[in-house]
Amino acid sequence: MKGLYCRAAESDAEPRFVIQETTLPDVLGDHEVRVKVKACGLSPLDFKWVFLGVLPLDSPCSGLCELVDVDEYFLVQKPEKLSWVSVAAALRDGVCAYTALHTHARMAAGHTLLVMDGASPFGLMCIQLACYHGLKVLATSHSPQQQTFLEQLRPSVGIQDPLVARVIPVHSGSDLLSVVLEETGGLGVDIVVDSEVRLHEDEEEGEERKLLPHKHDIISVLGVVGHWVTSHKNLQLDPPDCRLLHLKSASVSFLNPEVWTASAAQQGRYLHILKDIVEKMSAGVLRPQTEEAVPLYEATVAMETVQRHHRKKAVVQL
């Protein structure tokens, strides 16, 4: 049986991914289930392991194998109408969206949400989930194509009201703060969700990073008792940033979707999230962007590409 594995790199060299033969034990452990893998989503992770929906960090198996042994408490049933590829492509972004909006931000009907880079797979999940729960959604776009896509988003066919109340084209130089204050009557938003931020105004980065919001811009658009959910694991807040957050009694949370499997006490909530994601996908509430699946023999190239370009995604179909 073939599986995708990571070879640890020496010093600062990039890790290498290889497809190699592997075997499973003849006897299953207590409460384990042997699962036949149909599709697997590849994501950039610190530990360079392959994400298979519910495979925990300490699993001895590779997520991308023909068969994997998984604890039964990490499994949910896939609705028949959903394809394996669509679920594999959407599950991680769905977990991220639920963790950001439900667990961290405690969203509620009537709140205003600002989604940075709303056309990304994660941003799209946040938009759809928030609109379903009655939030007003603002989103930024990084290109004219993304702006058109977000402006044309509808909850279902035949409904004229867009999902996004206002698309903010940061690619054309729109001032984020002024637009947000205009849309919120000068109050600011209740929740901000980012996919990455800039820490310094003078960062010498590529054109893509220049479109990312600066940390001070995000803090500025927060309303009183607002909540900022960030994906930036190396976020640095200076005393003036903390002072502004304190004045607003606002808070910051770090988004790490892999943390759910770190505590047995969270298994029930995690399974509820997974089940709700696939049910909402089956009902058409969550409609993720489709990913073109690649075959197993292209998995090493796809995984290395995902590690270098963190905003890319890939799905392998077995």
Side-chain angles (χ1 to χ4, degrees):
M1 180 179 68
K2 296 182 182 299
L4 180 67
Y5 290 87
C6 174
R7 286 183 177 173
E10 298 180 0
S11 65
D12 296 330
E14 292 185 358
R16 294 182 59 241
F17 294 90
V18 296
I19 296 175
Q20 65 186 39
E21 291 292 332
T22 184
T23 58
L24 295 177
D26 295 331
V27 181
L28 289 171
D30 292 339
H31 306 291
E32 282 191 337
V33 178
R34 186 153 291 174
V35 177
K36 181 176 177 58
V37 179
K38 297 287 188 178
C40 180
L42 307 180
S43 302
L45 299 171
D46 289 341
F47 296 99
K48 305 298 186 294
W49 59 289
V50 185
F51 187 79
L52 178 60
V54 291
L55 197 64
L57 276 171
D58 59 354
S59 171
C61 302
S62 166
L64 186 50
C65 281
E66 297 171 4
L67 298 171
V68 295
D69 292 345
V70 185
D71 194 299
E72 63 178 325
Y73 301 112
F74 291 117
L75 294 173
V76 294
Q77 187 172 0
K78 180 188 75 68
E80 291 186 5
K81 66 184 295 183
L82 295 178
S83 71
W84 297 103
V85 171
S86 64
V87 175
L91 203 54
R92 187 176 192 275
D93 291 315
V95 171
C96 287
Y98 270 71
T99 305
L101 298 180
H102 281 294
T103 307
H104 290 312
R106 307 288 184 182
M107 68 174 175
H111 281 170
T112 302
L113 166 69
L114 172 61
V115 180
M116 312 305 298
D117 193 11
S120 66
F122 167 56
L124 182 59
M125 279 289 193
C126 288
I127 290 171
Q128 294 175 114
L129 185 61
C131 289
Y132 176 79
H133 287 280
L135 278 70
K136 177 182 179 180
V137 178
L138 314 177
T140 64
S141 63
H142 288 187
S143 69
Q145 294 77 17
Q146 288 187 3
Q147 181 179 356
T148 302
F149 170 75
L150 292 171
E151 290 174 344
Q152 293 177 348
L153 274 180
R154 299 292 186 273
S156 61
V157 178
I159 297 181
Q160 297 300 315
D161 294 334
L163 282 177
V164 182
R166 179 77 176 268
V167 180
I168 306 171
V170 295
H171 60 275
S172 62
S174 291
D175 182 64
L176 181 66
L177 179 59
S178 62
V179 174
V180 169
L181 294 180
E182 177 187 341
E183 285 291 326
T184 60
L187 298 177
V189 296
D190 300 292
I191 307 167
V192 177
V193 177
D194 71 56
S195 56
E196 197 68 47
V197 297
R198 287 185 295 119
L199 300 181
H200 308 287
E201 290 287 2
D202 58 348
E203 284 186 10
E204 294 183 2
E205 302 284 354
E207 291 299 321
E208 185 177 353
R209 285 199 61 84
K210 290 181 180 179
L211 297 175
L212 297 177
H214 186 267
K215 59 180 180 179
H216 184 74
D217 295 334
I218 292 182
I219 297 173
S220 299
V221 301
L222 278 175
V224 172
V225 200
H227 200 98
W228 173 17
V229 183
T230 181
S231 299
H232 197 109
K233 58 182 178 291
N234 296 319
L235 181 67
Q236 293 177 314
L237 295 179
D238 300 318
D241 302 323
C242 296
R243 175 63 175 168
L244 186 53
L245 285 169
H246 175 265
L247 290 173
K248 296 184 177 187
S249 194
S251 56
V252 181
S253 293
F254 291 88
L255 179 60
N256 176 16
E258 277 70 59
V259 78
W260 285 107
T261 58
S263 171
Q266 301 295 332
Q267 285 183 347
R269 296 177 66 188
Y270 187 40
L271 287 175
H272 177 77
I273 291 173
L274 294 171
K275 183 178 180 181
D276 203 46
I277 291 171
V278 294
E279 287 180 350
K280 281 186 169 55
M281 287 180 63
S282 181
V285 174
L286 297 178
R287 293 171 292 150
Q289 291 174 300
T290 57
E291 296 287 337
E292 184 178 353
V294 299
L296 178 61
Y297 64 82
E298 295 183 10
T300 54
V301 176
M303 190 61 172
E304 289 169 358
T305 301
V306 167
Q307 301 308 311
R308 290 193 298 269
H309 307 283
H310 283 201
R311 303 172 80 83
K312 287 187 175 294
K313 296 184 66 67
V315 177
V316 177
Q317 187 171 18
L318 284 81

